[in-house]
Amino acid sequence: MSAATRRLTTAQALVRFLAAQHTERDGVRHRLIAGTWGIFGHGNVAGLGQALVEYADVMPYHQGRNEQAMVHAAVGHARQLNRLSAQAVTTSIGPGATNLVTGAALATINRLPVLLLPGDYFASHAADPLLQQLEHPIEADVSANDTLRPVSRYFDRVTRPEALVASALQAMRVLTDPAETGAVTLALPQDVQAEAYDWPEEFFADRVWRVRRPAPDPVELTEAARAIRAAGRPLIVAGGGIHHSEAEEALVALVDATGIPVASTQAGKGALRHDHPADLGGVGHTGTAVSDDLARTADLVIGVGTRYSDFTTASGTLFQHPDVRFLNLNITAFDAHKLAARTLVCDARTGLTALTEALSGHRVDAAYEAEYRAGKARWDETVEAAYRADDDSAVPTQTQVLGALDAVVGDEDVVINAAGSLPGDLHKLWRARSPRQYHLEYGYSCMGYEIPAALGVQQAAPGTPVWALVGDGTYLMNPTEIVTAVQENLPVKLVLVQNHGYASIGGLSESVGAERFGTDYRHRAADGTFTGAPLPVDLAANAASLGMDVLRAKTVGELREALRAARSADRPTCVYVETDPAPQAAPPAAAWWDVPVAEVSAREAATGARAEYERAVADRRRHL
């Protein structure tokens, strides 16, 4: 007797298959593909569009406004749920598909799962060239979707219905593998999407993908414990892998037992609560002074779930102890071997628990513990000074905006940011109260991430206050998903900070001799100079026109009231505030970042910046 089959189109089969996929870790099951974002065109409307209508009862659909933003929303969702659940994104061919590239790169760089389903040319070439087809004179099988290859962890073009079976299973394998995950792309020719096939019933059966917690190798574990016991000034660098593994409690147990201090990357912040005695805050170029001071003198750096970006290492200038060595606990050997480290390739929670047991009875020297606790106390005073606002009638600074928000949020709130000057201020100053509160996308530092990501987080955590913090530059990049928030009744909170220009890149431009060129939002005179008058642009009115409730705050006092009102709002709400850029600035960077400066120039600003650059780059080390 032949096996049972079901006759469906390729698109229908894919939707049914995705609805039956689940992950499981620690005995807890999650739906793998929780929903599908989509914008329809001729490349997917008759295929996946029809399938999503037919199976709306098993696959939730979310209507987006921008293809890149849909990927950001899916990434926010996956991060909030520790990579145990993801979302799919479908687009037409052509510009709809190529608009996915930025979001895909962001997902893969940050090791976060998202399934991309762009339409593609006719596999049969029956209509050739069709609208939006990229014609290659030598390689006829190339399409615009091939731009997604380098930014995807898995890519396939499904040119026959039956090819979907193997491809879909491989896609799920990569999405659920904590060492491999990122963007996964299944390019779907539009004729194949609509073609019928007799699918085996087993393809649609519930399938559970167990997310592994690999244990450390015993020899590596013994050597790691020996290295920690021998260190006089160990420092843990906590990365995002701690959150993905839900290893926060295991980190607390290790730190409480050993007294080893913890500095965090942007992705790892919140691994310890801000008020834990061993939490020193951010590390690297945007780190705290106490973290960076200890990093310079650490003789053993213990990286846990970090990929060591240049911001974390201060472009190779931060770890300056003459005998410094590295021990990296990471689920991927690729990241574990960075900086010529001793490796512990395993799950973060499993590895930290094993280390705690292997280090039984060991604790750092009391003088070292007293040193870093005193440094933490000094930095806490710095934070208080940056947040303090003594005059409620004054125009707030950016750090005072953060202070006002800090006073309003609860432990359960999620604060989202990605690019501009806010990430640096947040990394230095934000007092994270829970593992999920601090949500910074800094692997790709992508302007326009925050608003759509807030939608994905809100979908993953209904009832949780979710804040998207954006500057004017970021807002102008990608505000369109405000409409989606209104349509789906997602009560996200937007804090829109107006400082009339690209503040972050403007400051960087000035420091490298480019004299803030191209970073102002002001009127330009005929001779190319700026008049100083801000452009007559009302971003608050724009947010309101897209459907948000908008609260304008001109003073510190009004800002506090507006933030409290926004937190209790049951629909999308924007708090708009213009900031004073001059006084009460955030503490300066305590570590360097390498942005090469013109080696020769006729301009004094550039030659002076080059001299500073050469002094700083001399401290770079190759750790071998």
Side-chain angles (χ1 to χ4, degrees):
M1 181 181 292
S2 61
T5 61
R6 190 186 314 185
R7 191 162 183 80
L8 300 172
T9 69
T10 303
Q12 292 164 355
L14 178 57
V15 172
R16 293 296 304 187
F17 170 82
L18 294 177
Q21 307 305 302
H22 306 271
T23 61
E24 184 177 285
R25 187 169 70 182
D26 303 329
V28 180
R29 185 172 294 190
H30 304 262
R31 179 166 174 160
L32 175 53
I33 304 300
T36 299
W37 289 88
I39 296 175
F40 295 111
H42 70 94
N44 64 344
V45 66
L48 276 171
Q50 188 281 327
L52 289 167
V53 170
E54 183 136 343
Y55 297 121
D57 58 328
V58 295
M59 178 57 67
Y61 166 71
H62 310 293
Q63 182 179 355
R65 268 72 195 176
N66 175 280
E67 292 86 0
Q68 176 183 321
M70 293 193 297
V71 186
H72 294 338
V75 167
H77 178 278
R79 176 169 169 172
Q80 180 68 20
L81 295 177
N82 299 315
R83 306 193 298 191
L84 297 171
S85 180
Q87 293 177 319
V89 178
T90 179
T91 72
S92 181
I93 68 172
T98 51
N99 279 352
L100 296 173
V101 173
T102 295
L106 181 149
T108 295
I109 286 170
N110 286 284
R111 296 10 180 206
L112 292 166
V114 61
L115 176 62
L116 307 180
L117 305 172
D120 215 320
Y121 59 72
F122 281 63
S124 65
H125 290 271
D128 192 18
L130 74 158
L131 179 65
Q132 298 176 326
Q133 181 176 341
L134 175 70
E135 293 184 274
H136 196 288
I138 299 172
E139 299 175 78
D141 63 341
V142 169
S143 84
N145 286 340
D146 287 281
T147 59
L148 288 160
R149 288 181 184 271
V151 293
S152 297
R153 294 293 288 169
Y154 178 81
F155 179 99
D156 193 15
R157 179 175 288 113
V158 183
T159 57
R160 292 179 59 87
E162 60 267 34
L164 178 66
V165 174
S167 186
L169 290 169
Q170 287 295 333
M172 299 304 104
R173 177 190 65 79
V174 174
L175 287 173
T176 58
D177 187 334
E180 292 292 329
T181 196
V184 167
T185 300
L186 298 182
L188 303 170
Q190 56 180 305
D191 54 344
V192 177
Q193 289 181 50
E195 186 175 344
Y197 181 74
D198 293 323
W199 304 89
E201 282 289 348
E202 292 87 349
F203 187 55
F204 308 117
D206 279 357
R207 190 180 301 269
V208 177
W209 301 83
R210 287 185 172 82
V211 179
R212 298 183 295 277
R213 288 196 182 277
D217 176 83
V219 173
E220 286 193 337
L221 178 62
T222 298
E223 292 180 349
R226 184 181 299 122
I228 294 173
R229 288 181 182 275
R233 300 179 65 82
L235 174 68
I236 293 172
V237 174
I242 292 176
H243 294 310
H244 299 328
S245 178
E246 299 176 282
E248 296 89 359
E249 291 183 7
L251 177 64
V252 171
L254 174 65
V255 170
D256 287 348
T258 63
I260 300 173
V262 176
S264 57
T265 68
Q266 286 279 17
K269 194 173 172 78
L272 290 184
R273 267 186 66 103
H274 74 93
D275 52 3
H276 190 285
D279 180 66
L280 307 182
V283 68
H285 177 64
T286 55
T288 68
V290 58
S291 285
D292 288 348
D293 285 347
L294 256 68
R296 291 186 182 93
T297 60
D299 57 356
L300 180 68
V301 179
I302 307 165
V304 183
T306 178
R307 63 189 189 92
Y308 286 111
S309 77
D310 61 340
F311 258 61
T312 298
T313 67
S315 301
T317 65
L318 185 58
F319 306 112
Q320 288 296 322
H321 190 288
D323 299 316
V324 65
R325 290 294 181 265
F326 296 85
L327 166 64
N328 291 337
L329 190 166
N330 205 292
I331 201 163
T332 71
F334 177 82
D335 289 317
H337 279 277
K338 289 176 178 176
L339 301 175
R342 188 184 303 275
T343 62
L344 201 57
V345 180
C346 59
D347 170 73
R349 181 197 284 183
T350 304
L352 288 170
T353 300
L355 267 180
T356 303
E357 294 172 358
L359 292 168
S360 178
H362 174 73
R363 192 168 185 88
V364 300
D365 187 79
Y368 181 52
E369 198 165 354
E371 175 190 341
Y372 73 68
R373 289 192 179 200
K376 174 181 173 63
R378 290 192 299 272
W379 187 257
D380 288 343
E381 293 175 357
T382 299
V383 174
E384 286 294 339
Y387 280 179
R388 187 178 302 121
D390 298 323
D391 183 0
D392 276 7
S393 64
V395 175
T397 64
Q398 183 162 285
T399 58
Q400 289 170 343
V401 171
L402 298 183
L405 183 61
D406 175 80
V408 167
V409 301
D411 289 9
E412 68 275 22
D413 293 37
V414 179
V415 176
I416 301 173
N417 188 238
S421 59
L422 277 165
D425 291 356
L426 285 160
H427 200 205
K428 293 186 188 82
L429 303 173
W430 189 258
R431 299 187 282 210
R433 306 173 195 178
S434 63
R436 296 262 60 91
Q437 183 176 84
Y438 188 87
H439 183 126
L440 261 285
E441 188 289 298
Y442 216 59
Y444 212 40
S445 184
C446 185
M447 296 176 73
Y449 170 81
E450 297 91 338
I451 295 173
L455 273 59
V457 172
Q458 193 75 82
Q459 290 174 332
T464 297
V466 179
W467 302 83
L469 275 60
V470 301
D472 49 351
T474 291
Y475 179 86
L476 287 167
M477 288 274 185
N478 199 6
T480 54
E481 297 315 306
I482 288 174
V483 178
T484 305
V486 173
Q487 182 178 37
E488 300 228 351
N489 196 30
L490 297 171
V492 295
K493 296 92 174 62
L494 170 63
V495 180
L496 176 50
V497 180
Q498 171 67 279
N499 55 24
H500 301 287
Y502 297 118
S504 174
I505 206 67
L508 177 62
S509 172
E510 191 170 48
S511 71
V512 298
E515 303 173 62
R516 292 188 176 265
F517 179 76
T519 64
D520 280 292
Y521 288 172
R522 290 182 291 164
H523 285 286
R524 188 187 292 271
D527 63 358
T529 61
F530 292 105
T531 66
L535 296 175
V537 176
D538 191 339
L539 299 184
N542 179 263
S545 76
L546 296 177
M548 269 197 147
D549 289 344
V550 176
L551 305 172
R552 295 177 184 257
K554 295 182 178 179
T555 67
V556 171
E558 291 176 359
L559 175 63
R560 292 192 183 112
E561 292 179 7
L563 292 171
R564 283 193 291 268
R567 188 174 188 273
S568 62
D570 60 1
R571 68 179 316 276
T573 302
C574 170
V575 176
Y576 173 84
V577 58
E578 294 194 40
T579 56
D580 182 349
Q584 196 88 15
W592 186 61
W593 183 45
D594 189 351
V595 178
V597 177
E599 191 168 0
V600 295
S601 174
R603 299 185 69 84
E604 183 179 349
T607 56
R610 179 68 190 190
E612 290 294 327
Y613 177 82
E614 290 175 353
R615 280 192 288 271
V617 78
D619 290 333
R620 175 178 284 140
R621 293 180 61 181
R622 296 282 186 184
H623 298 285
L624 299 172

